[in-house]
Amino acid sequence: MRDLDFGKHMSDKEVLARIAAGVMTIRGLEPEFSFQVHEQLHQINGPAISRDPAILDLRSLPWCSIDNDDSRDLDQLTVTKKSTSKGWILLVAIADVDALVGMGTAIDEHALLNTRSVYTSARIFPMLPLKLSNNLSSLNPGQDRLALVSEMQISEDGAITKSFIYRAWVHNHAQLSYDNVSEWLEGKSQLPQDALMVSGLDAQIRKQDQLAQVLRARRHEHGSLEFEIFQPRASFSQDSIRTIEQQPHNRARQLIEEFMIATNGCTSRFLADAGIYSIRRVVRSPERWLKIVQLAHEYGVNLPNEPDSLALEQFLARQRREDPIRFPDLSLVIVKLMGSGEYIAEKPSNRPVGHFGLAVSDYMHSTAPNRRYPDIITLRLIKAVLAGKSPPYSVEELHSLAQHCTAQEDAARKVERQLRKSEAAMFLRSRIGQVFQGVVSGLNEKGAWIRIFDPPVEGKLVDGESYPLGKLLKVKLIYTHVQLGFIDFSVVEGGMS
C-alpha cells in the first residue's frame, strides 16, 4: 500500500498534524473550534472574578506548579503547611474552570463533545480554547486565580485523617517542570532560578517530596499497582522529528501523581458525604483474573484464585527488579487483562465499584478541568454543594455523561496511539534496511510484534514464524507507512539470542 503524498513542501510536523486531525474526525472528535466558540471567546476579556466574601485569600502561600516543560494549561498548584501534630497538611488548588465556562454555552458544548484534550507531538488539540486553557483559566505564574482547594491532614504513615474543600484565591509563585525538579531532588542539578527566587520554596518542595514518598509507600502496601507502559514521545527540531524517547517516570512526576490521587479521593468522599450521585473513575475487579493467575504461574509465581491487588503488585515489583527489559510488555499484557478504566454515575453506598489498580474504593477525576470534561462536571457538583444548591445535573444526565466520557476518552486514546505509530514510521522511513536489537512484545491472532530499543519503537514481525513473548531478536526494518503507522521488521538470519 502506497503512502500518501501530503506535499513536498510540508514539514514533518505539518504532515503529522494533518494526519491527527483526520484521525480525530474519523473517531468522532472535533479537531477545530466552531464559529460560535470563537464568538463566545471574544466576549471573555479577563480571568474569572468574584466578590464572594466566603472565598478565602491564600495568595501569600508559596504555591507552585510542577508539570511538563511545554505545559501551559496548568490545572493544579500544591503547598504544604505546618501541622500542629506529627504529620503534614497538604493543600492542592484546582483551577475553577467552571467560573469561565458556563453550562450549555458553545465552549462547554465543544468540551463536552471531545471530553478531553488530545495530545500528539505535532499538535495539541485542546478541549478548551487556548485563550482559556493556557491563559485565563490556567493557574499561570504571577497571576491571581480562583480555585477549589482540597486541604488534607495526613498522619506520619500517610493516612488522610481529615479533609476539607473550599473556594480560594491562589497565586502561582513558580512554574516548574518535572525533569528539572526531579534532577534537583536527586542531586544532579541546581534548583531552577524561578524557584530560587521564592523564599523557602526549596525546603517546601523537599517537604512535598517527602510526603509524596510516604503516600506512595502506603499505596503500595495496600496493593496499588505500578506499571511501566510503553509510550514513547517524539520531539522536534525546526519542525522535523529529532528524536523519539520514552518518558521517564521520575520523582517529580511521582510527587504530583501522589497528590492528585489523594485529592481525587478527597473530592470523591466529599460528594459521597453530601449524599449525591457523582461521576467516578473506576477499574473493576478483573473478570479475567484467572488469566492473570495463569500468566504469573508461567513466571513461577502463584497468585490466589480470587482478585488480590496486593499479591499482583508484589508479582509486578519482582518482575520489574528481575527483568526490567521485558517489564513494559508484561505491564501491557496485564493492563489488557484487567480491562480499561471507565466513568460511571454512582450513588454513595457501602459497596462502591472502586479502582482496582489504585486499590481504593473512592476515586474520581477532579484535578484537570482544563484538560478533561469529567473534572468540570465534578467542579460543578462540588460548587453546588458548597453553595447549598441542588446538583446541576440529574441522575439520568450523569449516567449519560459517564457513558459518553468513557467512549470519547477511548476514541482520544486511539488517536494518540495512532499518531505515536505514525511518528515512529516517519522517523524510521529513511532507515529501511537497517538492523536493530529488540524484544518480542506482543502476540495475537494477527501475528507478533517487536519493540526495538533504540529508538524505542514497536513494529510488526512479518516472517510468519512463531516467536515466544520476551524473545530477544535482531531484526531488519523493511517497510514503513506514515499515514497508517505501519512499521514492518523481519528477523535477521542468526539474529536470535
Side-chain angles (χ1 to χ4, degrees):
M1 185 181 298
R2 190 173 70 86
D3 209 345
L4 294 181
D5 183 3
F6 280 91
K8 295 180 180 179
H9 302 293
M10 292 180 65
S11 68
D12 290 354
K13 183 172 282 190
E14 289 171 326
V15 170
L16 291 169
R18 183 171 293 189
I19 292 173
V23 177
M24 282 189 69
T25 301
I26 291 170
R27 293 290 181 185
L29 303 171
E30 178 52 64
E32 309 298 342
F33 293 105
S34 67
F35 171 76
Q36 290 80 5
V37 167
H38 288 290
E39 270 199 329
Q40 181 187 350
L41 196 62
H42 185 69
Q43 305 300 317
I44 302 175
N45 299 312
I49 58 174
S50 176
R51 294 180 174 82
D52 185 346
I55 298 175
L56 301 183
D57 186 352
L58 302 182
R59 291 173 292 179
S60 63
L61 292 178
W63 298 101
C64 70
S65 62
I66 307 176
D67 214 312
N68 290 310
D69 289 339
D70 55 355
S71 290
R72 299 295 178 266
D73 48 351
L74 305 180
D75 286 298
Q76 66 270 332
L77 307 177
T78 58
V79 71
T80 59
K81 296 196 304 183
K82 288 183 178 179
S83 175
T84 55
S85 58
K86 292 183 179 180
W88 293 268
I89 296 178
L90 170 66
L91 279 69
V92 176
I94 305 300
D96 188 354
V97 174
D98 170 67
L100 282 177
V101 180
M103 283 181 62
T105 61
I107 293 175
D108 185 59
E109 289 298 321
H110 178 92
L112 172 57
L113 173 63
N114 285 357
T115 74
R116 53 161 281 190
S117 296
V118 177
Y119 293 91
T120 74
S121 63
R123 181 185 171 188
I124 295 172
F125 299 86
M127 182 183 75
L128 300 175
L130 295 181
K131 181 178 178 180
L132 300 184
S133 61
N134 283 15
N135 185 5
L136 300 180
S137 62
S138 175
L139 300 177
N140 286 348
Q143 302 295 320
D144 297 339
R145 291 288 188 262
L146 281 172
L148 221 58
V149 174
S150 293
E151 179 174 333
M152 294 160 266
Q153 295 182 10
I154 304 173
S155 66
E156 284 185 288
D157 63 354
I160 299 175
T161 56
K162 287 183 181 179
S163 63
F164 313 91
I165 298 180
Y166 46 81
R167 301 185 72 192
W169 287 101
V170 297
H171 186 99
N172 185 355
H173 293 274
Q175 180 179 352
L176 308 175
S177 72
Y178 291 129
D179 292 344
N180 287 341
V181 170
S182 186
E183 288 182 0
W184 174 71
L185 287 170
E186 294 170 359
K188 298 177 181 178
S189 68
Q190 295 294 316
L191 191 63
Q193 190 63 32
D194 287 350
L196 291 174
M197 294 175 64
V198 181
S199 177
L201 190 56
D202 53 348
Q204 171 67 219
I205 295 173
R206 287 203 184 279
K207 188 182 297 183
Q208 291 188 33
D209 173 63
Q210 181 187 25
L211 170 57
Q213 293 305 313
V214 171
L215 291 171
R216 183 178 178 81
R218 183 180 179 87
R219 277 203 306 119
H220 289 296
E221 286 173 2
H222 286 77
S224 181
L225 307 179
E226 184 168 350
F227 299 104
E228 184 178 322
I229 304 301
F230 181 65
Q231 287 189 339
R233 184 183 184 189
S235 58
F236 291 81
S237 176
Q238 297 182 341
D239 289 347
S240 295
I241 297 181
R242 176 176 57 86
T243 185
I244 293 180
E245 296 176 330
Q246 176 76 354
Q247 281 191 318
H249 191 66
N250 58 36
R251 198 172 180 98
R253 290 179 186 276
Q254 291 174 0
L255 186 158
I256 295 301
E257 180 180 87
E258 295 305 326
F259 289 177
M260 297 310 105
I261 291 172
T263 304
N264 286 326
C266 287
T267 54
S268 183
R269 290 186 291 273
F270 176 86
L271 291 175
D273 290 343
I276 63 173
Y277 271 83
S278 61
I279 289 185
R280 295 198 171 198
R281 180 68 174 177
V282 303
V283 173
R284 300 177 187 275
S285 183
E287 292 182 0
R288 292 183 286 178
W289 175 256
L290 291 181
K291 291 276 189 182
I292 297 176
V293 172
Q294 181 181 348
L295 177 65
H297 186 70
E298 294 173 7
Y299 288 85
V301 174
N302 294 318
L303 295 178
N305 288 330
E306 294 297 323
D308 186 326
S309 61
L310 181 57
L312 180 55
E313 167 56 18
Q314 291 169 349
F315 164 60
L316 290 170
R318 193 194 85 157
Q319 292 308 121
R320 180 191 289 273
R321 291 192 306 269
E322 295 185 356
D323 196 355
I325 290 178
R326 296 173 177 84
F327 186 71
D329 309 312
L330 173 64
S331 294
L332 181 59
V333 172
I334 292 181
V335 166
K336 288 181 177 178
L337 289 173
M338 284 177 54
S340 58
E342 61 182 298
Y343 296 104
I344 66 168
E346 191 172 55
K347 185 179 182 180
S349 71
N350 294 326
R351 299 188 65 184
V353 174
H355 195 297
F356 183 84
L358 296 175
V360 295
S361 58
D362 299 307
Y363 192 72
M364 62 175 33
H365 278 166
S366 65
T367 57
N370 278 305
R371 317 177 195 193
R372 284 190 309 235
Y373 198 77
D375 305 58
I376 295 181
I377 295 172
T378 299
L379 251 177
R380 290 169 176 161
L381 292 171
I382 292 173
K383 288 173 67 176
V385 173
L386 291 174
K389 298 179 179 178
S390 299
Y393 303 96
S394 69
V395 174
E396 292 74 18
E397 285 173 327
L398 288 175
H399 280 297
S400 177
L401 285 167
Q403 292 176 354
H404 174 71
C405 289
T406 298
Q408 295 302 79
E409 181 185 76
D410 181 59
R413 290 187 185 279
K414 287 177 179 176
V415 173
E416 293 168 346
R417 186 162 58 245
Q418 170 67 42
L419 264 293
R420 285 196 294 271
K421 293 177 180 178
S422 291
E423 293 160 4
M426 177 173 282
F427 187 59
L428 289 177
R429 64 183 172 179
S430 63
R431 301 172 70 173
I432 300 292
Q434 288 189 17
V435 175
F436 302 87
Q437 294 279 356
V439 60
V440 177
S441 58
L443 301 168
N444 62 24
E445 65 280 357
K446 296 180 181 179
W449 273 256
I450 187 163
R451 174 171 55 85
I452 62 173
F453 302 132
D454 187 17
V457 165
E458 192 172 50
K460 188 175 183 180
L461 283 171
V462 296
D463 298 75
E465 296 185 33
S466 178
Y467 300 99
L469 191 69
K471 183 70 176 178
L472 294 173
L473 296 174
K474 189 179 292 185
V475 295
K476 180 189 292 186
L477 177 65
I478 62 172
Y479 175 73
T480 64
H481 191 296
V482 174
Q483 188 179 24
L484 298 178
F486 289 172
I487 301 172
D488 290 348
F489 294 100
S490 64
V491 176
V492 176
E493 186 175 351
M496 289 183 283
S497 57

